[in-house]
Amino acid sequence: MSFKIIDLEKYDRKEHFIHYLNNVPCSYSMTVNIDITDLLKLTKERNYKLYPVILYAITKVVNNHIEFRMSLDENDNLGYYINVNTSYTIFHKDNNTFSNIWTKYDSSFEKFYNNYEKDIQEYGNEKGFITKKCEENNLINISSIPWVTFTEFNLNLPRGEKYLLPIFTVGKFYEQSNKILLPLAVQVHHAVCDGFHTSRFINDLQEFVNNFENII
């Protein structure tokens, strides 16, 4: 892991950062539908599981944008991770609880997918809130709620004023107008992400999903 400190005096969003971090601590969420019509067809043709494909797509696009990798170090210095890994939830059907595990990111889809499969095999049946420990902080959080389709989702973080990394929540995909749509909630901190940055991320994710066959 490598964390690069940002020179706040040279940071274009210095005033915005200070305002939304200290003066008016503010996070916000945006819920959208990602068109996965072609992606779902591709996963079935190639016998891929959809969940790790979505995990890879989100993490891949996050690693393309510094503002989605920003955080504070132990001395509250603003900086960004060179890359982030994927923390995600898995559900235990036998007792209706979930666990958090993480998978090391790799720009190669096949390597990431294999990393995911190994982690699921090793940790998938372990119970507990966090079953695979991580000593580093370069993790983005992705949760899945595959039982329901939602049009809005928001997390309340009463002590999350300084948590700058994004949080993603995926819902149950559904069919509408001959398209398969996947609800995705993106929660970010306004200190590092404006509406422009979140919109760009969502548009880039949709483009990545649309061209997934040509990328992997």
Side-chain angles (χ1 to χ4, degrees):
M1 179 191 71
S2 183
F3 186 81
K4 299 292 185 181
I5 294 177
I6 293 173
D7 184 346
L8 200 57
E9 297 304 316
K10 297 180 180 178
Y11 182 38
D12 291 340
R13 296 186 66 264
K14 174 185 175 181
E15 293 182 25
H16 303 71
F17 171 74
I18 293 174
H19 179 73
Y20 287 120
L21 184 73
N22 299 322
N23 301 335
V24 185
C26 176
S27 63
Y28 67 90
S29 61
M30 187 181 299
T31 303
V32 298
N33 289 320
I34 302 298
D35 184 348
I36 62 166
T37 308
D38 293 336
L39 180 67
L40 185 61
K41 180 180 178 181
L42 178 66
T43 59
K44 291 180 178 179
E45 290 175 349
R46 302 197 181 184
N47 200 29
Y48 291 138
K49 299 173 184 176
L50 180 63
Y51 192 34
V53 171
I54 296 299
L55 295 177
Y56 171 78
I58 292 175
T59 311
K60 176 75 172 181
V61 179
V62 164
N63 276 306
N64 289 339
H65 297 291
I66 288 178
E67 61 273 2
F68 275 75
R69 291 180 275 121
M70 286 187 174
S71 187
L72 300 172
D73 68 7
E74 63 275 8
N75 297 313
D76 282 345
N77 294 309
L78 176 66
Y80 62 93
Y81 296 107
I82 297 301
N83 60 65
V84 295
N85 295 312
T86 315
S87 174
Y88 52 95
T89 56
I90 55 173
F91 185 70
H92 304 295
K93 294 181 180 180
D94 58 341
N95 65 358
N96 295 334
T97 64
F98 73 90
S99 298
N100 285 285
I101 65 175
W102 67 278
T103 290
K104 181 176 177 58
Y105 169 73
D106 196 291
S107 59
S108 164
F109 169 71
E110 292 296 338
K111 290 181 180 179
F112 177 87
Y113 195 90
N114 289 336
N115 290 342
Y116 169 88
E117 293 277 65
K118 291 177 182 177
D119 287 329
I120 291 297
Q121 183 176 7
E122 183 172 355
Y123 301 99
N125 293 321
E126 291 190 18
K127 303 297 195 301
F129 184 64
I130 298 176
T131 55
K132 181 185 177 184
K133 305 297 183 182
C134 183
E135 297 180 358
E136 302 175 345
N137 296 318
N138 61 333
L139 297 175
I140 58 167
N141 292 293
I142 304 175
S143 296
S144 176
I145 307 178
W147 310 279
V148 67
T149 293
F150 53 77
T151 57
E152 183 177 357
F153 186 91
N154 181 66
L155 288 170
N156 299 304
L157 302 175
R159 293 189 295 274
E161 295 92 345
K162 293 187 177 181
Y163 186 81
L164 305 185
L165 289 169
I167 301 173
F168 302 92
T169 307
V170 179
K172 179 182 179 181
F173 64 78
Y174 64 100
E175 184 175 354
Q176 184 180 76
S177 301
N178 297 320
K179 293 182 179 180
I180 305 299
L181 303 177
L182 180 74
L184 174 68
V186 184
Q187 184 142 330
V188 296
H189 202 301
H190 209 344
V192 293
C193 278
D194 298 325
F196 165 78
H197 303 105
T198 306
S199 299
R200 180 172 63 181
F201 169 85
I202 292 168
N203 291 333
D204 285 358
L205 178 62
Q206 182 64 72
E207 183 177 359
F208 183 81
V209 167
N210 291 345
N211 294 285
F212 191 75
E213 184 174 13
N214 300 321
I215 295 171
I216 60 175

